[in-house]
Amino acid sequence: MTFKKNRNLHMNQKITIVIPVYNSAKFLHKTLKAVDDQRKASNWDLELVLVEDGSPDNSFEVIEKLAQQYSYIKAVKLSRNFGHQIAVKTGLSYATGDYIAIIDDDLQDPPSLLPRFFAELEKGFEVAYGIRKNRKEGEVKKTAYKVFYRILNSISDTKIPIDSGDFCVMTKNVKEKMLTLNEQNPYLRGIRAWVGFKQIGLEYERSGRIEGESGYSLKKLIKIAKDGIFSFSSIPLQIITLLGNLGLVISILFSVFTIFRYFNNEIEVAGYTTMIILLLFFSSLILVSLGIIGEYIYRIYNEVRNRPYTIIEKTVNI
């Protein structure tokens, strides 16, 4: 394929790019310039959906100014910080393009990669998702991500691609199917895998942030990890059964040991240490089991309340 053909590959398809925005006032103009440069280079009929996720800075004011410069911008301001996954899901609900892309606001997933991904949709794939080959993060964080993705893949009822994030492109058909899952705690890369269709993963080197620090605190990362595990795996519930069986085996063995000592006249009045150890062990099993059950009950409770998953405060060009 020649360069010229590649440039005009998507002339007949409307493109939507969804970008969740959080604390990006200082560098958002750089991200949008990169998007606009690629729009011109690829001759896209573009719609850019920006979802401002309750930032403490003036990100939405910056978006309003940029919307005057780039007429294809649609913007949504959430009433508070609902989290990255909810922001992306909200953006998808406003996307009207034939092809939809999801990228971050910090240029770690640069728009210049998108033509390569859109080319896979032209070949007949419904989803092309990014597989992070190298991450520009600390070793501890990279190791934690690597371990988590592999654990999730091994225990999940739905096979979620290893080292894949939210960065992807999809057809309008897949987007609509994903939005039929009205979950309060969505794990979008899991939902993307769950809906199926013809998908392909493409490796890429993830860039470092252009400026600032990630909005993903440890608390938010743990929440996303929990959403992935509890939404797509029943293994935690099976662990409770295993813990119960383990406790039963230990109880039987200890009972046999105690009876043996009784008939051999070895029973001593001093059994305080043994009793405390057993009490702590079984109490811990009970608390762990209740915690796991509680996670599932909380998610059931969230769903049956049937609250809207987000609240829109303000929009631009919508």
Side-chain angles (χ1 to χ4, degrees):
M1 180 179 290
T2 66
F3 177 74
K4 185 175 181 181
K5 287 182 179 179
N6 189 52
R7 280 186 52 158
N8 297 314
L9 185 62
H10 316 295
M11 285 181 63
N12 297 322
Q13 304 289 354
K14 182 178 180 180
I15 304 295
T16 296
I17 299 178
V18 175
I19 303 180
V21 175
Y22 184 77
N23 260 8
S24 309
K26 294 181 179 179
F27 58 84
L28 189 59
H29 65 284
K30 297 179 182 178
T31 303
L32 266 61
K33 185 180 185 306
V35 169
D36 195 60
D37 288 345
Q38 191 58 52
R39 176 190 70 85
K40 294 173 181 175
S42 298
N43 198 23
W44 287 337
D45 174 13
L46 180 64
E47 170 187 70
L48 182 62
V49 179
L50 303 175
V51 182
E52 197 277 315
D53 187 24
S55 299
D57 66 0
N58 63 327
S59 290
F60 195 74
E61 287 77 3
V62 172
I63 290 173
E64 289 178 312
K65 292 178 182 177
L66 290 169
Q68 298 173 12
Q69 181 180 351
Y70 303 106
S71 60
Y72 49 79
I73 284 180
K74 289 183 178 180
V76 177
K77 177 176 174 58
L78 305 187
S79 61
R80 63 171 175 84
N81 179 234
F82 284 86
H84 180 273
Q85 299 291 285
I86 291 294
V88 174
K89 183 178 179 181
T90 302
L92 290 176
S93 69
Y94 284 96
T96 62
D98 301 298
Y99 292 166
I100 297 99
I102 300 170
I103 65 174
D104 284 339
D105 61 355
D106 54 14
L107 289 182
Q108 285 191 289
D109 308 317
S112 57
L113 293 173
L114 291 177
R116 176 185 167 210
F117 282 70
F118 285 133
E120 298 301 326
L121 301 189
E122 293 288 315
K123 294 176 184 177
F125 288 96
E126 295 270 359
V127 176
Y129 55 85
I131 300 175
R132 296 158 178 170
K133 190 175 180 182
N134 290 310
R135 305 179 69 114
K136 304 297 188 294
E137 283 146 343
E139 289 302 319
V140 174
K141 200 171 185 179
K142 285 196 290 187
T143 301
Y145 278 123
K146 188 175 182 179
V147 171
F148 167 70
Y149 284 131
R150 280 149 185 79
I151 290 175
L152 180 60
N153 183 263
S154 64
I155 69 174
S156 176
D157 302 325
T158 300
K159 290 306 174 186
I160 301 172
I162 293 175
D163 297 327
S164 67
D166 294 322
F167 175 49
C168 69
V169 300
M170 67 186 76
T171 61
K172 186 176 184 179
N173 178 48
V174 171
K175 183 263 302 186
E176 290 174 347
K177 297 299 186 293
M178 287 178 64
L179 290 177
T180 60
L181 280 70
N182 194 31
E183 298 183 9
Q184 297 292 318
N185 298 283
Y187 185 66
L188 293 177
R189 65 202 72 172
I191 292 174
R192 187 181 67 208
W194 185 87
V195 297
F197 299 102
K198 193 176 180 182
Q199 304 194 14
I200 186 172
L202 300 177
E203 286 190 343
Y204 74 104
E205 290 199 18
R206 199 166 198 235
S207 305
R209 290 177 60 88
I210 53 173
E211 196 173 328
E213 301 205 355
S214 174
Y216 272 124
S217 63
L218 179 60
K219 180 180 178 181
K220 290 181 178 179
L221 289 172
I222 291 174
K223 182 185 182 304
I224 289 181
K226 286 165 61 178
D227 288 341
I229 291 171
F230 289 107
S231 296
F232 290 93
S233 177
S234 60
I235 289 294
L237 288 173
Q238 296 173 36
I239 289 175
I240 294 178
T241 303
L242 292 175
L243 290 174
N245 290 334
L246 175 63
L248 178 62
V249 170
I250 292 175
S251 299
I252 292 172
L253 291 176
F254 186 74
S255 298
V256 171
F257 174 69
T258 303
I259 293 171
F260 176 80
R261 292 186 65 199
Y262 174 79
F263 283 109
N264 284 276
N265 298 317
E266 296 177 4
I267 294 293
E268 302 173 1
V269 175
Y272 180 78
T273 302
T274 302
M275 293 302 298
I276 288 297
I277 291 173
L278 287 175
L279 181 63
L280 290 175
F281 177 75
F282 287 108
S283 297
S284 298
L285 288 185
I286 292 171
L287 290 175
V288 169
S289 301
L290 288 175
I292 292 173
I293 294 172
E295 285 288 347
Y296 284 100
I297 292 175
Y298 172 73
R299 280 163 169 71
I300 294 170
Y301 175 60
N302 255 349
E303 298 300 329
V304 299
R305 283 188 300 185
N306 200 29
R307 291 179 178 176
Y309 60 85
T310 192
I311 300 294
I312 307 299
E313 179 181 333
K314 195 175 181 181
T315 63
V316 173
N317 294 334
I318 294 176

